[in-house]
Amino acid sequence: MIRILVSPAIIDLSVEMDRIEAGHSAGAIATFTGLVRADAKAEGKVETLELEHYPGATEAALHALAGEAEARWSLSGATIVHRVGMMAPGDRIVFVGTAAAHRGAALDACAFLIDRLKTDAPFWKRETSGGEARWVEARASDDRAAERWRDA
Amino acid sequence: MRVLYFAWVRERIGTSEEVVDPPAGVETVADLIGWLAGRSDGHGLALAAPDRLRAALDQAFVPLDTPLGDASEVAIFPPVTGG
């Protein structure tokens, strides 16, 4: 079962964990949670993070990734919840959960989903620090992390 | 054809979407970007460096040398930064 949610609402971990554990015959659940970092910049600490996305295309991209993971690792469940809009340091941005028969498949599928989400889904981050807003630049390390899943 | 802009591309152009009718000869996404760049100073500023841009045709990511074909929605944006 695939669950995709893109929403400005706070991500409730207990609700998401209950959903991914319920109704599956999985022996293993792996999860990843991403938080807004309070990285210190030259301008000062990050005060807010705003997430823009491409409605429709975002959900389609996440569905495609979850479907690919489900087929490749024989998952019984895959959840991707991504928050959009205004956030503060410490807030949850993203939750990925995978359910499989054994831990290897669940852990690999979870890493695949978060690595590929960073390069394949249309989200853009804008940080404010010292009262100045700036768009976050894409990182080459994220491209390399996503690329490693294409070889296998 | 509907063109959507996101993030700093949207901010520099000053609108999130517009409907355009490109002339004959505009065949690929890169051609479209080059043509759009001449529409205003803001378009020129946003679209001056195509190597910093990415695109989607009918909501699917494509390389900039992709033919527009009969796509009805083109999106132009910076490299993505989610997760």
Side-chain angles (χ1 to χ4, degrees):
Chain A
M1 196 183 70
I2 289 175
R3 169 172 160 77
I4 303 297
L5 179 64
V6 178
S7 157
I10 288 170
I11 299 172
D12 187 329
L13 289 184
S14 65
V15 167
E16 296 306 332
M17 285 303 295
D18 285 350
R19 275 176 178 266
I20 197 155
E21 287 180 7
H24 302 306
S25 54
I29 307 280
T31 70
F32 172 86
T33 305
L35 307 180
V36 178
R37 263 190 288 268
D39 287 350
K41 307 276 176 189
E43 308 80 35
K45 276 198 186 313
V46 172
E47 289 140 14
T48 61
L49 182 78
E50 190 173 2
L51 240 297
E52 178 170 332
H53 76 120
Y54 181 177
T58 309
E59 291 84 351
L62 298 180
H63 263 288
L65 284 176
E68 191 179 337
E70 191 176 48
R72 185 162 166 182
W73 285 280
S74 302
L75 302 180
S76 54
T79 295
I80 305 174
V81 182
H82 207 297
R83 196 167 163 199
V84 291
M86 279 302 228
M87 283 164 261
D91 284 359
R92 296 176 198 117
I93 304 183
V94 62
F95 171 85
V96 175
T98 52
H102 299 284
R103 69 183 184 284
L107 288 165
D108 283 354
C110 187
F112 164 89
L113 286 176
I114 188 61
D115 282 347
R116 288 282 301 275
L117 180 157
K118 283 185 166 277
T119 58
D120 290 25
F123 292 103
W124 299 273
K125 288 183 178 134
R126 184 164 67 166
E127 287 176 345
T128 301
S129 54
E132 296 272 314
R134 55 173 277 279
W135 292 96
V136 173
E137 295 276 342
R139 295 189 305 189
S141 58
D142 287 339
D143 287 338
R144 287 193 296 274
E147 201 55 42
R148 74 192 168 110
W149 297 104
R150 297 187 202 276
D151 307 331
Chain B
M1 162 184 295
R2 204 158 83 110
V3 187
L4 308 184
Y5 306 113
F6 293 97
W8 54 256
V9 176
R10 169 181 56 73
E11 285 186 338
R12 289 176 187 179
I13 290 175
T15 187
S16 58
E17 73 172 85
E18 57 188 337
V19 175
V20 301
D21 187 11
V26 173
E27 288 173 2
T28 66
V29 176
D31 293 344
L32 179 69
I33 289 171
W35 177 73
L36 288 168
R39 280 171 71 84
S40 75
D41 289 350
H43 286 78
L45 186 65
L47 307 174
D51 57 323
R52 297 188 62 205
L53 300 173
R54 302 292 182 267
L57 285 184
D58 289 334
Q59 307 204 341
F61 287 20
V62 294
L64 299 191
D65 59 2
T66 306
L68 294 167
D70 52 7
S72 59
E73 183 176 296
V74 182
I76 302 170
F77 44 80
V80 301
T81 55

